């Protein structure tokens, strides 16, 4: 979905995250993640290089501060694809950030989608669903909530939000 939003909104830049998670199937080196060792991640974190960071299911994820702030200084809009922890950290660091919570239609539908990916065993699926329940409660902390029933509809809704919230030429992060 994020790639479709980026395709349809020229000038919107995707903020790449660092992660200690190994690459999955078709992930490419120039994609949304920079895969690094745990040691490299921890060293960057200690130097204060992340705008936000979190440990999710045993792996570390973080958004390099320099990349986002540099793009914003150049007047670009930046789209960050984050978990709830990271989005709330971004909002604290950059109060002008616009947070959009992408919600599943239901926990049951989320479970089916995760099963369909084939990347989860039952223990992992249970852990993810429990986390999703907490995340859905935290949606009230976001500026907007988009329910992802069908990808095309969700993309359209996100684009409308970006249009309404965007400040062309002033640079504003969206998470």
């Amino acid at each position: 979905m994020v790639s479709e939003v980026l395709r349809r909104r020229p000038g919107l830049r995707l903020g790449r995250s660092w992660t200690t998670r190994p690459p999955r199937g078709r992930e490419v080196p120039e994609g949304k993640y920079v895969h690094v060792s745990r040691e490299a991640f921890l060293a960057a974190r200690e130097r204060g290089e992340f705008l936000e960071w979190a440990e999710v299911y045993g792996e570390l994820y973080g958004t390099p501060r320099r990349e986002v702030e540099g793009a914003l200084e150049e007047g670009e809009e930046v789209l960050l694809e984050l978990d709830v922890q990271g989005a709330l950290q971004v909002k604290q660091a950059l109060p002008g950030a616009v947070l959009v919570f992408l919600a599943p239609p239901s926990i049951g539908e989320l479970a089916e989608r995760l099963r369909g990916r084939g990347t989860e065993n039952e223990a992992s699926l249970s852990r993810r669903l429990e986390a999703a329940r907490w995340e859905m409660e935290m949606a009230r902390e976001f500026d907007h909530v988009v329910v992802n029933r069908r990808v095309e509809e969700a993309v359209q809704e996100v684009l409308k939000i970006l249009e309404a919230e965007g400040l062309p030429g002033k640079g504003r992060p969206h998470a």
Side-chain angles (χ1 to χ4, degrees), residues 48-88:
E49 293 180 13
F50 293 116
L51 179 61
E52 61 80 30
W53 72 271
E55 185 165 352
V56 182
Y57 306 115
E59 300 294 349
L60 299 169
Y61 294 81
T63 303
R65 177 182 305 277
R66 182 179 59 224
E67 180 180 330
V68 173
E69 290 177 349
L72 294 175
E73 287 171 9
E74 293 174 16
E76 295 182 64
E77 288 183 312
V78 180
L79 179 66
L80 303 175
E81 187 176 3
L82 305 171
D83 71 333
V84 169
Q85 298 172 71
L88 295 176

Coordinates of all heavy atoms in Angstrom, one line a residue, residues 48-88:
G48 N 22.8 8.7 19.2 CA 21.6 9.5 19.1 C 21.2 9.7 17.7 O 20.6 10.7 17.3
E49 N 21.5 8.8 16.8 CA 21.3 9.0 15.4 C 19.9 8.7 14.9 O 19.5 8.9 13.8 CB 22.3 8.1 14.6 CG 23.7 8.6 14.7 CD 24.7 7.7 13.9 OE1 24.2 6.9 13.0 OE2 25.9 7.9 14.2
F50 N 19.0 8.2 15.8 CA 17.7 7.8 15.4 C 16.6 8.8 15.9 O 16.6 9.3 17.0 CB 17.3 6.4 15.9 CG 18.1 5.3 15.3 CD1 18.9 4.5 16.1 CD2 18.0 5.0 14.0 CE1 19.7 3.5 15.6 CE2 18.8 4.0 13.4 CZ 19.6 3.2 14.2
L51 N 15.7 9.1 15.0 CA 14.6 10.0 15.3 C 13.6 9.2 16.2 O 13.0 9.7 17.1 CB 13.9 10.4 14.0 CG 12.6 11.2 14.1 CD1 12.9 12.5 14.7 CD2 12.0 11.4 12.7
E52 N 13.5 7.9 15.9 CA 12.7 7.0 16.7 C 13.4 5.6 16.5 O 14.0 5.3 15.6 CB 11.3 6.9 16.2 CG 11.0 6.5 14.8 CD 11.1 5.0 14.6 OE1 10.8 4.2 15.5 OE2 11.5 4.5 13.5
W53 N 13.1 4.8 17.5 CA 13.6 3.4 17.5 C 12.7 2.6 18.4 O 12.1 3.1 19.4 CB 15.1 3.3 17.8 CG 15.4 3.4 19.2 CD1 15.6 4.6 19.9 CD2 15.4 2.4 20.2 NE1 15.8 4.4 21.2 CE2 15.7 3.0 21.5 CE3 15.2 1.0 20.2 CZ2 15.8 2.3 22.7 CZ3 15.3 0.3 21.4 CH2 15.6 1.0 22.6
A54 N 12.7 1.3 18.1 CA 11.9 0.4 19.0 C 12.4 -1.1 18.7 O 13.0 -1.4 17.7 CB 10.4 0.4 18.6
E55 N 12.2 -1.9 19.7 CA 12.4 -3.3 19.6 C 11.0 -3.9 19.4 O 10.1 -3.8 20.2 CB 13.1 -3.9 20.8 CG 13.4 -5.4 20.6 CD 14.4 -5.9 21.6 OE1 15.0 -5.1 22.4 OE2 14.7 -7.1 21.6
V56 N 10.9 -4.7 18.3 CA 9.6 -5.3 17.9 C 9.9 -6.7 17.6 O 10.7 -7.1 16.7 CB 9.0 -4.6 16.7 CG1 7.7 -5.2 16.3 CG2 8.9 -3.1 16.9
Y57 N 9.3 -7.6 18.4 CA 9.4 -9.1 18.3 C 10.9 -9.5 18.2 O 11.3 -10.3 17.4 CB 8.7 -9.6 17.0 CG 7.2 -9.1 17.0 CD1 6.8 -8.3 16.0 CD2 6.4 -9.5 18.0 CE1 5.5 -7.8 16.0 CE2 5.1 -9.1 18.0 CZ 4.6 -8.3 17.0 OH 3.3 -7.9 17.0
G58 N 11.7 -8.8 19.1 CA 13.1 -9.2 19.2 C 14.1 -8.6 18.3 O 15.3 -8.8 18.4
E59 N 13.5 -7.8 17.3 CA 14.4 -7.1 16.3 C 14.3 -5.6 16.5 O 13.3 -5.1 17.0 CB 14.0 -7.5 14.9 CG 14.0 -8.9 14.5 CD 15.5 -9.5 14.5 OE1 16.4 -8.8 14.6 OE2 15.6 -10.8 14.5
L60 N 15.4 -4.9 16.2 CA 15.4 -3.5 16.4 C 15.1 -2.8 15.1 O 15.5 -3.2 14.0 CB 16.8 -3.1 16.8 CG 17.3 -3.7 18.2 CD1 18.8 -3.4 18.4 CD2 16.4 -3.1 19.3
Y61 N 14.4 -1.7 15.2 CA 14.0 -0.9 14.0 C 14.2 0.6 14.4 O 13.9 1.0 15.5 CB 12.5 -1.1 13.7 CG 12.1 -2.4 13.2 CD1 11.9 -3.5 14.1 CD2 12.0 -2.7 11.8 CE1 11.6 -4.8 13.6 CE2 11.7 -4.0 11.4 CZ 11.5 -5.0 12.3 OH 11.1 -6.2 11.8
G62 N 14.7 1.4 13.5 CA 14.8 2.8 13.8 C 14.9 3.6 12.5 O 15.3 3.1 11.5
T63 N 14.5 4.9 12.6 CA 14.6 5.8 11.5 C 15.7 6.8 11.7 O 15.7 7.5 12.7 CB 13.3 6.6 11.4 OG1 12.2 5.6 11.2 CG2 13.3 7.5 10.2
P64 N 16.7 6.8 10.8 CA 17.8 7.8 11.0 C 17.3 9.2 11.0 O 16.6 9.7 10.1 CB 18.7 7.5 9.7 CG 18.3 6.1 9.3 CD 16.9 6.0 9.6
R65 N 17.6 10.0 12.0 CA 17.2 11.4 12.2 C 17.8 12.2 11.0 O 17.0 13.0 10.5 CB 17.8 11.9 13.5 CG 17.5 13.3 13.8 CD 18.2 13.8 15.1 NE 17.8 12.9 16.2 CZ 16.6 13.1 16.9 NH1 15.8 14.0 16.6 NH2 16.4 12.3 17.9
R66 N 19.0 12.1 10.7 CA 19.6 12.9 9.7 C 18.9 12.9 8.3 O 18.7 13.9 7.7 CB 21.1 12.5 9.5 CG 21.9 13.3 8.5 CD 23.3 12.9 8.3 NE 23.4 11.5 7.9 CZ 24.2 10.6 8.5 NH1 25.0 10.9 9.4 NH2 24.2 9.3 8.0
E67 N 18.5 11.7 7.9 CA 17.8 11.5 6.7 C 16.4 12.3 6.7 O 16.1 13.0 5.7 CB 17.5 10.0 6.4 CG 16.8 9.8 5.1 CD 16.6 8.3 4.8 OE1 17.4 7.4 5.3 OE2 15.6 8.0 4.2
V68 N 15.6 12.1 7.7 CA 14.3 12.8 7.8 C 14.5 14.3 7.9 O 13.9 15.0 7.2 CB 13.5 12.2 8.9 CG1 12.2 13.0 9.1 CG2 13.2 10.7 8.7
E69 N 15.3 14.7 8.8 CA 15.4 16.1 9.1 C 16.0 16.8 7.9 O 15.6 18.0 7.5 CB 16.2 16.4 10.3 CG 15.5 16.0 11.6 CD 16.2 16.2 12.9 OE1 17.5 16.4 12.8 OE2 15.6 16.1 13.9
G70 N 17.0 16.2 7.2 CA 17.5 16.7 5.9 C 16.5 16.9 4.9 O 16.4 18.0 4.2
A71 N 15.6 15.9 4.7 CA 14.6 16.0 3.7 C 13.6 17.1 4.0 O 13.2 17.9 3.2 CB 13.9 14.7 3.5
L72 N 13.2 17.2 5.3 CA 12.3 18.3 5.7 C 12.9 19.7 5.5 O 12.2 20.6 5.1 CB 11.9 18.1 7.2 CG 11.1 16.8 7.5 CD1 10.9 16.6 9.0 CD2 9.8 16.8 6.7
E73 N 14.2 19.8 5.8 CA 14.9 21.1 5.6 C 14.8 21.5 4.1 O 14.8 22.7 3.8 CB 16.3 21.1 6.1 CG 16.4 21.1 7.6 CD 17.8 20.8 8.2 OE1 18.7 20.8 7.4 OE2 17.9 20.6 9.4
E74 N 14.8 20.5 3.2 CA 14.8 20.8 1.8 C 13.4 21.0 1.3 O 13.2 21.2 0.1 CB 15.5 19.6 1.0 CG 16.9 19.5 1.3 CD 17.6 18.3 0.6 OE1 16.9 17.7 -0.2 OE2 18.7 18.0 1.0
G75 N 12.4 21.0 2.2 CA 11.0 21.2 1.9 C 10.3 20.0 1.4 O 9.2 20.1 0.8
E76 N 10.8 18.8 1.5 CA 10.2 17.6 1.1 C 9.2 17.1 2.1 O 9.4 17.3 3.3 CB 11.2 16.5 0.8 CG 12.2 16.8 -0.4 CD 13.1 15.7 -0.6 OE1 12.6 14.6 -1.0 OE2 14.3 15.9 -0.4
E77 N 8.2 16.4 1.7 CA 7.3 15.6 2.6 C 7.9 14.2 2.7 O 8.4 13.6 1.7 CB 5.9 15.5 2.0 CG 5.1 16.7 2.0 CD 3.7 16.5 1.5 OE1 3.6 15.8 0.5 OE2 2.8 16.9 2.2
V78 N 7.9 13.7 3.9 CA 8.5 12.4 4.2 C 7.4 11.5 4.8 O 6.7 11.8 5.7 CB 9.6 12.5 5.2 CG1 10.3 11.1 5.5 CG2 10.7 13.4 4.7
L79 N 7.3 10.3 4.2 CA 6.4 9.2 4.7 C 7.2 8.2 5.4 O 8.1 7.6 4.9 CB 5.6 8.6 3.5 CG 4.6 7.5 3.9 CD1 3.5 8.1 4.6 CD2 4.1 6.8 2.6
L80 N 6.8 8.0 6.7 CA 7.5 6.9 7.5 C 6.4 5.8 7.8 O 5.3 6.1 8.2 CB 7.9 7.5 8.8 CG 8.9 8.7 8.7 CD1 9.1 9.3 10.1 CD2 10.2 8.3 8.0
E81 N 6.8 4.6 7.5 CA 6.0 3.4 7.8 C 6.5 2.9 9.1 O 7.6 2.2 9.2 CB 6.1 2.4 6.7 CG 5.1 1.3 6.9 CD 5.1 0.3 5.7 OE1 6.0 0.5 4.8 OE2 4.3 -0.6 5.8
L82 N 5.8 3.1 10.2 CA 6.2 2.8 11.6 C 5.2 2.0 12.4 O 4.0 2.0 12.1 CB 6.5 4.1 12.3 CG 7.5 5.1 11.7 CD1 7.5 6.4 12.4 CD2 8.9 4.5 11.6
D83 N 5.7 1.4 13.4 CA 4.7 0.8 14.4 C 4.3 2.0 15.3 O 4.7 3.1 15.2 CB 5.4 -0.3 15.2 CG 6.4 0.2 16.2 OD1 7.1 1.2 15.9 OD2 6.7 -0.5 17.2
V84 N 3.4 1.6 16.2 CA 2.8 2.6 17.1 C 3.9 3.3 18.0 O 3.9 4.5 18.1 CB 1.7 2.0 18.0 CG1 1.2 3.0 19.1 CG2 0.5 1.6 17.1
Q85 N 4.8 2.5 18.5 CA 5.8 3.1 19.4 C 6.6 4.1 18.6 O 6.9 5.2 19.1 CB 6.8 2.0 19.8 CG 6.2 0.9 20.7 CD 7.3 -0.2 20.9 OE1 8.2 0.0 21.6 NE2 7.1 -1.3 20.2
G86 N 7.0 3.8 17.4 CA 7.8 4.7 16.6 C 7.1 6.0 16.2 O 7.6 7.1 16.3
A87 N 5.8 5.8 15.8 CA 5.0 6.9 15.4 C 4.8 7.9 16.6 O 5.0 9.1 16.4 CB 3.6 6.5 14.9
L88 N 4.6 7.4 17.8 CA 4.4 8.3 18.9 C 5.7 9.0 19.3 O 5.7 10.2 19.7 CB 3.9 7.6 20.1 CG 2.4 7.0 19.9 CD1 2.0 6.2 21.1 CD2 1.5 8.1 19.5

